[in-house]
Each structure stands twice: as structure tokens, then as C-alpha cells.
Amino acid sequence: MTELSAHLPQFQHGQLTENFPDNHLCNTNDNSERRRHDNSERRRNDNPESETNGQPQNRTQQVVEQDEEDEELTLKYGAKHVIMLFAPVTLCMVVVVATIKSVSFYTRKDGQLIYTPFTEDTDTVGQRALNSILNAAIMISVIIVMTILLVVLYKYRCYKVIHGWLIISSLLLLFFFSFIYLGEVFKTYNVAMDYITLALMIWNFGVVGMICIHWKGPLRLQQAYLIMISALMALVFIKYLPEWTAWLILAVISVYDLVAVLCPKGPLRMLVETAQERNETLFPALIYSSTMMWLVNMAEEDPEAQRKASKSSTYDKQANQIQNEDADLDDGGFNPEWEQQRDSRIGPLESTPESRAAVQALPSNSQASEDPEERGVKLGLGDFIFYSVLVGKASATASGDWNTTLACFVAILIGLCLTLLLLAIFKKALPALPISITFGLVFYFATDNLVQPFMDQLAFHQFYI
Amino acid sequence: MTLAVFFGCSFIAFGPALGLCLFSVVREPLRVIILVAGAFFWLVSLLLSSLVWFIAVKASDPGDEPLQKGLLIFGVLFSVLLQEAFRFLYYKLLRKAIEGLVALSEDGCSPISIQQMAYAGLGFGLMSGAFSMINLLADALGPGTVGIHGDSQLYFLTSAFMTMVMIFLHTFWGILFFHGCETQRWWEMVAVIFTHLIVSGLGSRVRQAPSQDPEGPSGALSLSCSLPALPALWCCQLGPTVAFSAISFLFSVIGGPPFVPAGGRCPGAPAARE
């Protein structure tokens, strides 16, 4: 893979997230794909109080010089991006854990999904293990089939189908699942509510969500909605997946994630490469982005969007080329992205200072002529969901209770940190699940079985270590 | 137990640490990462030490009370030593990170100095405090009466104070330890390990409870049975711990170098040698 950071993550994310079965219980499927995250291209960071790590802002200017310096700068910015991802992941987990602890609906056993047909209420441990393995196998195959279906649809340019699929899935999440969630919360706190008010609330919540996620909206609102729908999905998984099946699925999905993103013939990697060949972006609705997305929607034939898409995709390519060439960029501030935009607007021209000046005088919305924006970082919604499933399951079923939850939480954050570090080093799309889920699983089982008895004894004898 | 007890105890235990975090850690992404990584290192050390303890317990006779007590004390001492070992490992890791950052930066200045990285101690402390206190706080929200069987009614309060002091201690130990590693003053590191062993060993002075309620998470209530009368507890555990904390604080403020603010005068690579 080349150093095209920008769109890689978007692609992967785009797909699968919720395209899968809009069906009743969604679940599953969305996952895998989403789990990529990557540095995006330079985008303006709309966060007014953006931190700079104590570094002077002008460091961004020097980024076009050497590869090494680019690497340092990504590492330097790495800390900020890690925090930009820590916050939403933490928020999602907090929402899920708070719901699990207070609303008993999500820990009550009310049947299972059709994707996990084998029950775990068996007589022997062996039978239970076998059933859970079969359940996990069925679920993973469904996910793989869906992923391949999506890649095929994308390859044959059935954008309308994919788009419709996505819209139906988010409709389901934003309206139906939030309705159920709200209903259960009201039941838990014994709040009397009439249907008319409820309908009004759900309608507003859902419509604003659809607009923010699929079209335009304030960045924070979009991020909040993405976190909320991830939390809702995670709660559905926690409720309907039996215990051993859930842990097995988590483990197998991290392996699948690793394979699908890094293997040359992996579906997600093929998706990314196809999108790159076409110079398109995937669906921004399915990725959590820490900075403002300029691009609106891939499926539209909007020339504005296309131009922006091509502009942003080529910008990064050219920026990388420039870095590789070690060329001196004394172009008066007109970087290649800007030139690309100019070309698309008024046709290819000889790039003379006069023509540049003339074009610059045009009232264009060339964000490119401004200071190079900071890189944002993207994380797929599937990653959010599976992190929250792990922590939620830990809080629901662990005997160590809060200790286990806390341990899993720290483990996942450290895994995310390590993944971002690898990202800064390798600069290509990476799976976000394997490291975090591995740490999370190890810490869950270790804390629950080893640390908890130890801490119990320590607390009993009032030892503080 | 009421919401007041819950909030009171949680603020006693975590208030100072929260203040430290809010005022000095939250604004700097690097410090947040160092904090979380510190918590992770403490967690790993706890995991390994509890693994060792677990194996020892499983390999021994569960009915033999003095043996179990002895194994627990051994577990505590081993855990303390392992924690300090991980503190040293973390120091090594941070050293490498600083060298990496310095090498990558343009003017040879690291964005964070080794003194600030002693916030790792705060990470250790927060995790240690959380693991001690959180289940207690969760129980404090539920129904029950502390000390209903005639034991000390201030169980939650003393636990909260002990947790607060332990968080402070871990922070100061972190500062002293890193300073000792930086300046090759081995006596500082030995002093940290020594005081840690003493403080952790203080808990053994508490007498045992006659029986334990097997109710799992609500077992905290029955733990109150294990506390002696309050004055004895203060003398034996909380007092010395607070004293050590004060001494460590003095040492880390006076003996340790002043904190270099981020982006301030740069000592030049390698960072901050005394």
C-alpha cells in the first residue's frame, strides 16, 4: 500500500457498517469493515480550542519537506490524535456501562438472534462449548458473506443499493432502537410518558440524526450521533449474544479484522484499493471522524462533491509525492491540490505565475491555499461497537464487577494507543480491533479469575498495595 | 448508606487526584497518555503478582489459616516489589520515548521532561486507589448499615482516607523514583521501595474477622467486621501512612528538581540531567 493516508480508512469504514440487515436485529455484520482508522488528509480542524501539544503552530508548515520529518510530525501529533479518539471511545463505553448497570432490560435473557441459533443452556460444559463455537462460526460466516457482498456491490458500482442499505440501517437504529432504549429507560425510572410526546421526541431525534450522519451537520452533533448509535448497537449485542458466544465472537472478529485489512486479497483491502483507483471516498456516515469532513456524499453526482473528492484525494497523493521528491516548494503557496482544483475549474493551463495569480483572484472556496490543516484521525464505528461490547459484557457478567470493567477499559485504551502509534509509523490503514480486543480479553479473564480473589483478600485484611 | 456517603467518600479518596488531573494533566495530551500508560503498567504488575499468589494458594492447603495469611503477606510483598520493578521498567520506556521525541524534534527540545513524566506515579496511584475503592463505593450506594454488628462505623471513611493517601504516596514515589533513576542516586530508589513495603505491610496489623459473608459484591459490608477500634486503626495504619506521605512530599518538593514547564527553556538533548 502506498502512503495514501487520506481515504483509506474512509473506504473501509464506509462499507459495511450498517449495511447489513436492516433486519430486526441487525447486529453483527456491520462490524468488521469499520475497523480501520488512519490519518486523514490535511483537513481543517474545526475545534476552536485545539491543543497543540505545546508545539508552536508553525510546525505544520514544514511538513512537506522530508519523509522523516513527516514521520516526526505525525508522531508529534500522535498524542493529540490519541486523545481525540480516547474521548469518544470512553464516552461510548461510559454510556454502555451506565445503561447496563441501571437498565436491567439489557442484561435480561430474552432469547437469541437467528444468527446464533444454538442455545447455551446445555447440560454439559462440552455441549455448551460446542454450541458457542458453532454460534460464533455462523456469525462470522454471515459477516464474511456480507463483506464480500458489499465489495462486489461496490466493484460493480451499485452505489444506489449500498446507499439505500445504509439509509435503512441507520433509520432502524435511529428510530426503532432508540425507541426501545427510551422505553426501557422510562420503565427503569418509572417515568410516565404519553405516546404523543414520545413520538415527537423520537421523530426529532431520528430526523436530526439522519441529517447529521448522512448529510451535513455540526461536527460535534455528528460525532455525538455516531457515538449514540454505536452504543445502541453494542447494547443490542450485549443483550442478545450469549456469554461464551460473545467472547468467542470478539476473539474471532479481531482475527478476521487483521486478515481482512492486511492480507492482499482481503475484502476490505480490495475495497480500499478499488476506492482509491476511482478516486472516490466511501461513506462518511460510517466512520467517526475527529475533524470536519468536507465531503458530503459519494453517491451523488454532484460535480462540486466530485471535484472536492478528487481534490482531496489527489492532494494527499501529491503531498506524498512532494515529500518523496524532497522538492523545494517555492510555488507561492499554491500547492498541488490548489492547482488541481484550478485545473478542474478552468481547464488545464500552463502553470505560470500570471495564471496562478489570476486564478487566485477568483472567489474560490479553495481551502487549500490556507495553512495546511491538521490531520484528523478516523475510527470505524465497528471498533466503537466491539470495544463497548467488551466493556459492557465485563460490567454485566464479571464477578469482579467494577475492577474488571476498569481493567478492560484501561486495556482497550492502551490497545488503541498502540494501534495509533503503529499507524503513525506505518501510515496505512490498520485494523483497530486486534490489539485492543486481545488486551481486553486477557485483562477480563485475568482480572476476573486471578486479581479479584487477591483484591478480596487484601481488602479483607486491609492491605493497601 | 446514602448518596452523601458515596459522594463524600469518593471525593475524599479521589478529590486531590482529580484536582491534580484537572489542573495539570487534562490539557496536555502527552500527559494523559503517560497517565493511562502508568495505570496500565500498574495493572500488569498486579496481574502478575496475583497470578503468583493464586498459584501459591492453589498449591497449598486452603484450610490452614496461618499459612493462608502468610501466603497473603508474601503476596503483598511480592506485589510491592513487582510494582517497583514495573515502575523502573516504565522509567526505561519513558526515557526511550523522550530520546525519540528529542531526536524527532527540530530544536532538540523534548515536549515533555522526565520530571513531568513522573505523572506516571499518579497513574499508578489512581489505578491502585480505584482498585481498592471502587467496589466499596458501589456498595455505598446500596442499602445497608456500616458496622451493624458492632464494628467500626467509619469503615468507608477510613478506607477513603487510606486510598487518598495511597494515591499521594504513589505520586510522590513516582517523582522520587524517577529522580533517583535520573541522577543515579540509588538510595532514593531504595527508600521508595522500603517505604512502600512498610506502608503495604501495615495492613497486617488488623485482626481477622470471625466469619465472612459469602455474598460476593456485598461482601464489603462484612469486611467492616475486620476493623479494630478506630483509634487503634489510626495509630497502626493511617497515621504512619500519612507520615510517610508527608515525608515523601517534602522530599519530592525539596530534593527533586523543579518541574520544567512544557515548551519552556530547553535543557538540550538528552533531557534533564541534573
Side-chain angles (χ1 to χ4, degrees), chain B residues 21-22 25 33 49 53 64 66 71 96 108 155 164 175 180 215 217 219 269:
Chain B
C21 281
L22 276 179
V25 173
I33 296 176
S49 52
W53 174 82
D64 193 356
L71 278 179
K96 279 209 168 56
Y155 173 65
M164 173 187 79
I175 297 172
E215 271 177 32

Side-chain angles (χ1 to χ4, degrees), chain B residues 12 63 161:
Chain B
I12 288 176
F161 274 109

Side-chain angles (χ1 to χ4, degrees), chain A residues 32-101:
Chain A
S32 341
E33 294 54 70
R34 301 185 248 156
R35 309 169 210 123
R36 317 279 162 264
H37 60 273
D38 187 43
N39 285 324
S40 68
E41 32 176 85
R42 303 280 151 62
R43 296 192 188 280
R44 171 161 295 284
N45 189 352
D46 271 2
N47 190 355
E49 57 273 347
S50 54
E51 302 287 338
T52 56
N53 265 6
Q55 302 297 317
Q57 192 68 30
N58 55 12
R59 289 197 183 198
T60 59
Q61 305 287 352
Q62 302 139 10
V63 76
V64 288
E65 279 153 26
Q66 295 135 0
D67 218 354
E68 192 186 271
E69 199 164 10
D70 182 65
E71 205 177 288
E72 347 170 333
L73 282 163
T74 51
L75 280 177
K76 271 186 210 152
Y77 282 116
K80 187 155 61 142
H81 298 135
V82 172
I83 302 304
M84 285 201 267
L85 283 186
F86 269 13
V89 169
T90 308
L91 206 55
C92 192
M93 288 198 241
V94 161
V95 169
V96 168
V97 170
T99 309
I100 293 277
K101 287 294 186 192

Side-chain angles (χ1 to χ4, degrees), chain A residues 62 72 402 461-462 464-465, chain B residues 104 106 128 134 200 203 237:
Chain A
Q62 302 139 10
E72 347 170 333
W402 288 99
H461 292 99
Q462 286 284 288
Y464 286 89
I465 56 169
Chain B
L104 292 178
E106 296 172 355
S128 164
I134 273 204
S200 290
Q237 195 175 24

